[in-house]
Amino acid sequence: MSQPQLGPPPTCQSPEHTCGVSVVHEIIERYGGNPEMLIPMMQDIQAAEGYLPREHLRTLGRELGVPLSRIYGVATFYAAFRLQPKGKHTITLCMGTVCYLKGADQISAVIQDEFQVKPGGTSPDRKFTFAPVNCLGACALAPVMVVDGEYFGGLSASSAVDILQKIASSKKPSEAVAKADAKQKTAAQKNGRGSQNP
Amino acid sequence: MKTLVGKFESFTDLEQYRSALKDRAAGVDCVIRVCCGPGCIPKGASKVYEAFRQAAEEADDKTVSVVPKLTGCQGLCECGPIVTLDPGGIFYQHVQEGDVAEIWRESVLGSGVVDRLLHHDEKTGQAARTTEGVPFYQGHQRIALALCGVIDARSIDDYIAAGGYQALAKALGSMKPEEVLDEVYRSGLRGRGGGGFLTGRKWRSAREAHGEPKFVIANGDEGDPGAFMDRALMEGAPHAVIEGMIIGGYAIGSSNGYIYVRDEYPIAVQRLRDAVAKAREMGLLGENILGSGFSFDIRISRGGGAFVCGESTALMASLEGRVGEPRAKYVHTVEFGFRNKPSLLNNVETWANVPAIIGRGADWFAGIGTAKSKGTKVFSLVGKVKNTGLVEVPMGMTLRQIIYQIGGGIRGDRPFKAVQTGGPSGGCIPAAYLDEAVDFDRLTELGSMMGSGGMIVMDEDTCMVNIARYFLRFLKEESCGKCTPCREGIAQMLHILDEIVGGRGTSGDLERLQELAVLLEDTALCALGKTAANPVLSTVRYFRDEYQEHIENHRCPAKECRGLFRYQIDAAACTGCGVCRKKCPVEAITGKKKEPHLIDADKCTNCGTCFDVCRFAAVKKV
Ligand SMILES: Cc1cc2nc3c(=O)[nH]c(=O)nc-3n(C[C@H](O)[C@H](O)[C@H](O)COP(=O)(O)O)c2cc1C
Ligand code: FES
């Protein structure tokens, strides 16, 4: 597994508090301060901030009496945790067996190449965070990626890049999708897409 | 109808509520089931459901009562979004938002069908009007998934109306814990999460274990790539898992349940959370369930995206807020598990079978399946098969029936090459064994395993060396690194496979792989490492020639491994459109407009761009 560095402190939004303290306190309270709930707390911090800011983790460790080294261990062990801020869009690419059989590897390679982004990392222009995952359980659409909650199935290396470029250049993802549709027509008819939440 | 105020305080309360729900259902003229399972949601099913919901809300004629339901996976994900209607059992596929008005007019208000949305037989072109008429559904028997795709996945009322929590009432009201345990034992139910361990035996050990409190845990981590059975179940019938767990808690004497769900399944997490909250609100979880004196509650815990956390000891470490590293298993988790207390861990599908067993009896369940594998198994049938979907069939059905009859055969009617079962710990089974009956023991004998139920079909274009490499790469990434054999052994095996796939294999590679496989099996700490070599061993066993072609002749017979085959343009098929010439990144293609083009083998880097862009299938792999 990769060994990322602890991320930079976040820019504080609130005038009254130093970074993150109030967020972390609220989350700790949510779980009654139980150190066993460390992972859910970290998940909640990530949900609130988009990643795990260093100061938040320090506060968390201090309050729970858990050494920062252990928190860092947990943060780097589980693939879902991020120590760096997210890009504007998140690409979740399925690397499951079926997607692999149908070319997910090549798609991953061109995404990395095109947007200068490593798995788990963010592109230099902060547009994309690239998160390949083991399996999305959407095998009927293979190869499939999810961008900001929206599914794109039946991809090829070139159609994936097309879609992402459209998303990068448009303000609203849905506009990009409408445009990408023309090119994706055959694949979309067969595999379709929509948003993730019912 | 009688509305429930507060909690059920007795079994009669539950039954009265159920019959009130049934009365209400009897007044419904039309039920529309919109599949919003893992395969249909990405294809726009949510919008279809929303459109039906609105149509029902805004309908002018209030004398016709129409109930749209948002259901879990209905099975034939390939053709989603699926919409089924009752009465009539009409089956519609590929339904989009724009079709809703027409369906409403024809089949909800009228009694006709929309022909273009029906399933048409590939060969005869004949339309099937109902679900039963679709070949995919032949031979299915749903026990674990009985209500998935039938009831509204979000509704506890639907679950209760369909007989839900009846088994719980039966267990709490008329059976002693030992009797419940006995029933599960006699049913022959075996764990659906991988190993196929006899569930009743595990329950007994948990019951007999000393230590308080005891824990009941459901494994919803579903880490195997290419598998979505557990996701479909948790999303489509969350109460079946919950009911099973309460019964399990009663049988072993535990009041604390946990469900460990994968972080990648946000809908499943939400459904389970809502379901638990609802069950608690109605008194089906919590103190003094149904006035029986038995108390039980459930917490939902999300995983962190680590495959090894599906392993029992790692899962429990993760539940405790630690890094998910397994420990040696000579200390059993049924005695010393979560928080070092007796812990009963079962897969979510195992749990979902429990209410059926208690409700309908061990004999009924044991009457289904083979001598040593009872009941049904849910498979996710995926890969190069025509009908990708979710399949629940009795144990003992043959691979051929599942792949050809239900799955419709191989895409493009190409020859079948192998089916991969059991996930990263499983193996590949070749065509010679297509007529084998699928059960726990037979699959193990064939060098694969049942695993959690992923069934990945592969055709001749799939290179077996490459697929073995895929799984090893997966396992190398997912190895927690605690024990050396797994951390280093898998990496070494992967290195050898990388060399073979890259055309740099040497004689002796196969022996080295086998040596490492033995080492891993003997010395790795947990089953991840112990079984890591299976994908390699099973492919070497059945496809040794293919390995040898790679090693000795530097050729990939499936023409998948880059550099071990070449691209050539078929002059007869080439129209001279020039697309490949323009797209070739190294200018290796020449040719005049409207004349056959040519690839310069000296310049070609085998990138495959020409193959991808050719619209006339004129670029061939040779
Ligand atoms: C590496 C590894 C991953 C596993 N992943 C899962 C999983 O995702 N889901 C599951 O139910 N069991 C998984 N298991 C099996 C569990 O350890 C355990 O045997 C199972 O949950 C017990 O339930 P059962 O008896 O109902 O099958 C995994 C095992 C190993 C070694
Ligand atoms: S998800 Fe709709 S049929 Fe499987």
Side-chain angles (χ1 to χ4, degrees):
Chain A
M1 289 195 190
S2 58
Q3 290 286 311
Q5 299 297 304
L6 277 179
T11 41
C12 189
Q13 309 281 321
S14 144
E16 298 103 65
H17 297 289
T18 48
C19 315
V21 171
S22 62
V23 179
V24 176
H25 275 257
E26 198 200 309
I27 289 171
I28 291 175
E29 246 165 64
R30 204 175 290 166
Y31 296 96
N34 179 358
E36 201 172 72
M37 303 310 270
L38 179 66
I39 295 173
M41 288 179 198
M42 289 166 68
Q43 283 167 332
D44 286 6
I45 293 176
Q46 182 156 305
E49 304 287 354
Y51 74 111
L52 297 174
R54 179 181 6 200
E55 284 313 309
H56 288 48
L57 295 186
R58 274 193 208 291
T59 311
L60 185 67
R62 209 172 42 237
E63 297 295 315
L64 293 179
V66 174
L68 189 61
S69 61
R70 215 191 105 200
I71 296 186
Y72 181 74
V74 170
T76 51
F77 181 85
Y78 294 101
F81 289 125
R82 239 185 333 269
L83 293 166
Q84 297 289 337
K86 252 208 285 202
K88 191 159 170 233
H89 308 284
T90 304
I91 313 167
T92 313
L93 180 70
C94 182
M95 300 300 284
T97 322
V98 185
C99 290
Y100 179 78
L101 283 179
K102 295 183 180 176
D105 234 19
Q106 284 89 303
I107 298 173
S108 167
V110 297
I111 291 177
Q112 293 185 40
D113 201 50
E114 186 70 32
F115 301 101
Q116 296 168 41
V117 57
K118 288 215 165 55
T122 299
S123 60
D125 60 6
R126 287 276 164 95
K127 280 229 164 95
F128 289 108
T129 291
F130 181 45
V133 295
N134 285 341
C135 188
L136 285 168
C139 310
L141 311 180
V144 54
M145 68 175 176
V146 177
V147 186
D148 304 335
E150 197 143 2
Y151 279 85
F152 298 89
L155 296 172
S156 69
S158 55
S159 75
V161 169
D162 271 2
I163 293 169
L164 293 172
Q165 265 161 354
K166 299 252 165 59
I167 290 174
S169 61
S170 102
K171 282 168 211 88
K172 275 190 265 159
S174 49
E175 282 169 26
V177 174
K179 283 181 216 149
D181 254 3
K183 275 211 162 169
Q184 269 270 296
K185 211 158 194 175
T186 37
Q189 261 170 3
K190 244 181 83 200
N191 298 301
R193 10 138 289 271
S195 76
Q196 178 163 11
N197 293 312
Chain B
M1 67 168 279
K2 175 185 191 293
T3 46
L4 179 74
V5 196
K7 300 182 176 197
F8 295 127
E9 280 169 6
S10 66
F11 303 120
T12 336
D13 279 358
L14 174 65
E15 282 317 314
Q16 274 174 358
Y17 188 66
R18 193 193 321 278
S19 64
L21 288 173
K22 281 186 178 159
D23 289 348
R24 187 172 64 179
V28 171
D29 298 300
C30 180
V31 176
I32 304 164
R33 299 189 172 89
V34 183
C35 179
C36 289
C40 291
I41 285 269
K43 297 185 190 174
S46 309
K47 290 192 189 127
V48 175
Y49 170 74
E50 200 42 44
F52 274 117
R53 202 189 55 77
Q54 259 184 17
E57 211 171 87
E58 292 162 8
D60 303 327
D61 187 357
K62 293 290 178 207
T63 56
V64 189
S65 131
V66 182
V67 179
K69 291 186 195 292
L70 180 155
T71 78
C73 179
Q74 301 194 8
L76 187 50
C77 312
E78 182 75 41
C79 301
I82 304 286
V83 173
T84 48
L85 279 92
D86 264 330
I90 303 170
F91 179 91
Y92 287 132
Q93 62 182 27
H94 296 304
V95 180
Q96 289 298 319
E97 200 181 355
D99 302 320
V100 169
E102 197 178 346
I103 295 178
W104 192 270
R105 206 169 49 236
E106 290 297 324
S107 307
V108 177
L109 301 179
S111 55
V113 287
V114 184
D115 187 72
R116 74 189 155 81
L117 297 174
L118 293 177
H119 184 90
H120 291 263
D121 189 90
E122 198 189 29
K123 294 199 182 73
T124 63
Q126 188 143 27
R129 215 186 134 101
T130 62
T131 311
E132 289 73 44
V134 179
F136 174 83
Y137 290 97
Q138 306 302 315
H140 280 236
Q141 182 174 8
R142 282 184 162 207
I143 296 175
L145 294 175
L147 296 180
C148 174
V150 178
I151 59 170
D152 192 307
R154 305 158 302 178
S155 162
I156 193 169
D157 281 355
D158 265 24
Y159 184 73
I160 293 176
Y165 291 107
Q166 212 160 13
L168 175 68
K170 178 176 173 186
L172 296 183
S174 66
M175 296 168 83
K176 292 203 190 74
E178 291 81 15
E179 288 170 331
V180 173
L181 217 156
D182 240 34
E183 203 70 15
V184 172
Y185 191 91
R186 283 198 308 114
S187 74
L189 175 66
R190 292 169 69 173
R192 303 304 196 229
F197 194 79
L198 203 58
T199 306
R201 185 175 302 159
K202 200 193 266 185
W203 286 28
R204 185 155 290 155
S205 310
R207 179 167 174 80
E208 286 164 1
H210 297 287
E212 287 291 327
K214 292 179 181 175
F215 294 98
V216 166
I217 308 170
N219 191 342
D221 200 42
E222 188 156 65
D224 291 1
F228 57 89
M229 308 78 47
D230 293 351
R231 173 177 169 189
L233 171 64
M234 291 184 283
E235 288 182 11
H239 287 285
V241 178
I242 294 170
E243 186 179 357
M245 290 176 73
I246 310 173
I247 295 172
Y250 177 68
I252 70 157
S254 159
S255 293
N256 300 286
Y258 280 82
I259 306 179
Y260 189 86
V261 200
R262 262 185 109 195
D263 193 46
E264 287 89 336
Y265 291 171
I267 303 176
V269 173
Q270 198 52 47
R271 290 272 157 77
L272 286 166
R273 277 192 178 148
D274 293 348
V276 164
K278 200 73 202 167
R280 199 179 288 139
E281 194 183 297
M282 297 177 85
L284 292 160
L285 279 173
E287 299 289 320
N288 191 12
I289 296 170
L290 296 171
S292 67
F294 174 69
S295 304
F296 189 83
D297 212 341
I298 292 177
R299 277 183 112 127
I300 311 291
S301 190
R302 275 183 299 154
F307 172 71
V308 72
C309 285
E311 195 274 343
S312 50
T313 58
L315 185 149
M316 291 175 197
S318 181
L319 275 182
E320 289 168 10
R322 293 188 286 124
V323 162
E325 283 176 351
R327 61 163 163 80
K329 285 259 282 238
Y330 52 82
V331 185
H332 294 298
T333 51
V334 283
E335 283 151 13
F336 300 97
F338 179 52
R339 295 185 190 154
N340 236 353
K341 298 291 179 197
S343 303
L344 171 61
L345 175 73
N346 277 123
N347 169 265
V348 284
E349 186 187 329
T350 315
W351 287 118
N353 274 296
V354 169
I357 291 170
I358 297 304
R360 303 175 72 167
D363 295 330
W364 163 79
F365 191 82
I368 303 162
T370 62
K372 288 193 172 156
S373 300
K374 300 302 185 188
T376 56
K377 179 75 194 86
V378 184
F379 295 101
S380 65
L381 185 60
V382 296
K384 307 271 180 84
V385 64
K386 281 183 192 160
N387 300 331
T388 293
L390 187 71
V391 174
E392 183 172 354
V393 292
M395 297 271 190
M397 191 177 259
T398 67
L399 285 166
R400 188 184 300 279
Q401 277 173 299
I402 298 175
I403 294 166
Y404 281 88
Q405 194 175 308
I406 295 175
I410 312 301
R411 255 168 223 268
D413 290 317
R414 299 176 56 84
F416 166 91
K417 185 168 186 180
V419 58
Q420 206 279 342
T421 71
S425 310
C428 295
I429 301 169
Y433 299 97
L434 268 176
D435 290 308
E436 292 290 342
V438 176
D439 73 7
F440 284 109
D441 309 300
R442 194 62 198 126
L443 287 184
T444 306
E445 282 159 26
L446 290 175
S448 184
M449 62 187 261
M450 180 76 85
S452 58
M455 206 174 253
I456 299 151
V457 177
M458 294 177 273
D459 67 7
E460 298 231 299
D461 289 342
T462 312
C463 170
M464 290 296 130
V465 185
N466 194 34
I467 200 76
R469 173 167 159 258
Y470 165 79
F471 282 113
L472 273 193
R473 199 168 67 181
F474 175 91
L475 290 168
K476 175 179 165 268
E477 289 295 318
E478 294 300 332
S479 166
C480 74
K482 183 171 172 178
C483 78
T484 317
C486 179
R487 187 179 65 238
E488 303 299 332
I490 295 176
Q492 282 310 317
M493 290 184 79
L494 179 61
H495 175 71
I496 295 174
L497 285 179
D498 280 341
E499 294 293 296
I500 296 177
V501 163
R504 297 175 301 273
T506 53
S507 66
D509 276 352
L510 290 184
E511 290 70 25
R512 276 186 283 276
L513 282 173
Q514 274 161 331
E515 217 171 285
L516 284 164
V518 173
L519 184 105
L520 270 168
E521 191 180 344
D522 288 347
T523 58
L525 181 64
C526 83
L528 186 148
K530 283 185 193 298
T531 59
N534 275 358
V536 179
L537 291 178
S538 75
T539 46
V540 171
R541 175 168 163 190
Y542 296 122
F543 300 95
R544 186 176 266 269
D545 290 357
E546 211 165 316
Y547 277 87
Q548 242 130 22
E549 262 308 284
H550 282 77
I551 296 171
E552 285 161 21
N553 302 328
H554 308 298
R555 303 215 26 93
C556 173
K559 303 191 182 70
E560 197 178 36
C561 299
R562 192 173 154 182
L564 304 193
F565 66 92
R566 282 182 301 114
Y567 291 99
Q568 223 171 43
I569 294 175
D570 177 358
C574 179
T575 64
C577 72
V579 167
C580 60
R581 176 165 43 84
K582 284 182 213 127
K583 291 276 180 180
C584 176
V586 293
E587 297 176 0
I589 301 178
T590 53
K592 293 208 183 79
K593 237 186 163 34
K594 299 203 170 146
E595 280 175 28
H597 283 40
L598 206 69
I599 300 176
D600 181 345
D602 289 334
K603 281 190 189 164
C604 176
T605 59
N606 291 307
C607 71
T609 304
C610 52
F611 183 83
D612 290 339
V613 298
C614 181
R615 276 169 288 156
F616 307 98
V619 181
K620 302 271 189 258
K621 294 174 173 180
V622 293

